[in-house]
């Protein structure tokens, strides 16, 4: 008869009962990493990872430390499922800062798209360009700076590519609206793309929940 290991016991996370194996699988799928990749990073076989996630065996202490590093959590959180209050507050702060930067970038893009009020005054053209584009550059740099919250190098590179593509799409809309003089359509497109980026792209592909989820379990 197999001796019962305390790590197989149900652990409580946010009101839901999860085993260690279920938590390992949850963290892996949230990070969008395959079992093969986890096995490679830990230095074990894929079958070993499968057994961990199916609660057939338990990772060693060293393997738990490596898994926690891969998933970007502490060993205590990985085993018990408990998150510290400070971590929750930091996560909320990071989400709010990221959301604020995206919204401000849309506002700056919209301002830069509109025609200049001093285009016919040569002496003021440079000042007008600075007023329009320096804030846009600053906010875009802030958005890029917010990516530092992702500690996983692989995910960081992936997020950087996604955000760069998003910014290129928004700049393309800016140029379209400016040169076609369809300012209202340009503004509408900027908002639609930003909402899609916030509500779909971030939670689905970047593991960043920037808005409150309405799917709460009773």
């Amino acid at each position: 008869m197999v001796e019962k290991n305390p790590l197989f016991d149900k652990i409580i996370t946010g009101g839901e009962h999860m085993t260690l194996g279920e938590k390992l699988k949850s963290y892996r799928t949230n990070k969008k990493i395959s079992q093969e990749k986890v096995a490679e990073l830990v230095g074990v076989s894929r079958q070993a990872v499968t057994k961990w996630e199916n609660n057939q065996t338990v990772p060693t202490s060293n393997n738990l430390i490596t898994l926690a590093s891969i998933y970007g959590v502490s060993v205590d959180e990985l085993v018990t499922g408990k998150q510290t209050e400070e971590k929750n507050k930091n996560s909320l702060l990071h989400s709010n800062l990221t959301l604020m930067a995206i919204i401000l970038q849309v506002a700056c893009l919209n301002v830069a798209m509109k025609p200049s009020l001093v285009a016919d005054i040569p002496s003021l053209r440079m000042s007008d360009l600075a007023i329009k584009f320096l804030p846009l550059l600053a906010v875009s740099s802030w958005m890029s700076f917010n990516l530092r919250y992702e500690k996983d190098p692989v995910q960081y590179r992936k997020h950087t590519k996604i955000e760069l593509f998003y910014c290129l799409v928004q700049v393309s809309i800016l140029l379209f609206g400016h040169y076609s003089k369809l300012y209202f359509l340009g503004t509408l497109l900027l908002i639609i793309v930003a909402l899609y980026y916030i509500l779909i792209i971030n939670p689905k592909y970047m593991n960043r929940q920037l808005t409150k989820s309405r799917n709460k379990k009773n």
Side-chain angles (χ1 to χ4, degrees):
M1 190 173 182
V2 179
E3 182 181 354
K4 185 178 180 181
N5 191 302
L7 288 177
F8 284 163
D9 291 341
K10 293 287 184 176
I11 55 179
I12 299 177
T13 306
E16 295 181 0
H17 295 280
M18 295 180 72
T19 62
L20 175 63
E22 289 169 341
K23 281 203 65 65
L24 290 173
K25 184 175 182 180
S26 175
Y27 279 118
R28 179 178 61 78
T29 53
N30 284 340
K31 284 288 185 179
K32 294 180 172 58
I33 306 175
S34 67
Q35 287 187 338
E36 289 80 2
K37 185 63 177 178
V38 172
E40 178 186 339
L41 293 172
V42 178
V44 298
S45 66
R46 185 189 64 79
Q47 289 76 10
V49 177
T50 301
K51 288 182 178 180
W52 294 342
E53 295 184 356
N54 290 336
N55 293 314
Q56 294 176 353
T57 58
V58 179
T60 64
S61 299
N62 288 337
N63 287 341
L64 280 173
I65 293 173
T66 305
L67 287 167
S69 176
I70 294 170
Y71 299 146
V73 297
S74 66
V75 175
D76 182 62
E77 182 181 342
L78 185 64
V79 174
T80 66
K82 295 179 181 178
Q83 294 182 337
T84 62
E85 182 179 352
E86 184 172 347
K87 182 171 181 178
N88 288 332
K89 288 181 179 179
N90 287 340
S91 178
L92 179 61
L93 176 61
H94 298 166
S95 295
N96 288 340
L97 289 174
T98 301
L99 182 60
M100 188 183 303
I102 294 172
I103 293 173
L104 286 176
Q105 189 197 47
V106 172
C108 291
L109 285 165
N110 189 48
V111 170
M113 180 177 60
K114 300 298 176 60
S116 173
L117 299 177
V118 292
D120 297 331
I121 307 177
S123 60
L124 296 179
R125 283 179 184 174
M126 292 303 298
S127 297
D128 181 63
L129 288 174
I131 291 172
K132 281 188 172 185
F133 288 99
L134 285 181
L136 176 58
L137 179 61
V139 173
S140 298
S141 299
W142 180 18
M143 283 181 62
S144 177
F145 186 66
N146 284 335
L147 291 173
R148 77 190 189 282
Y149 298 131
E150 177 54 64
K151 303 302 181 183
D152 184 349
V154 176
Q155 292 297 314
Y156 177 82
R157 289 192 293 271
K158 175 186 173 184
H159 294 181
T160 301
K161 291 177 182 178
I162 292 174
E163 189 147 291
L164 178 60
F165 180 74
Y166 164 76
C167 289
L168 289 174
V169 170
Q170 291 292 62
V171 170
S172 298
I173 294 173
L174 180 155
L175 295 174
F176 162 77
H178 179 76
Y179 288 107
S180 68
K181 297 184 180 180
L182 299 173
Y183 306 120
F184 177 78
L185 179 59
T187 299
L188 189 61
L189 288 174
L190 287 174
I191 294 173
I192 290 173
V193 172
L195 287 175
Y196 185 78
Y197 183 62
I198 293 169
L199 300 175
I200 306 297
I201 300 299
N202 268 272
K204 188 172 182 180
Y205 300 104
M206 302 176 72
N207 299 318
R208 298 194 303 191
Q209 190 68 44
L210 303 183
T211 58
K212 291 183 178 180
S213 176
R214 295 183 179 181
N215 298 324
K216 295 182 179 179
K217 295 183 179 181
N218 295 327

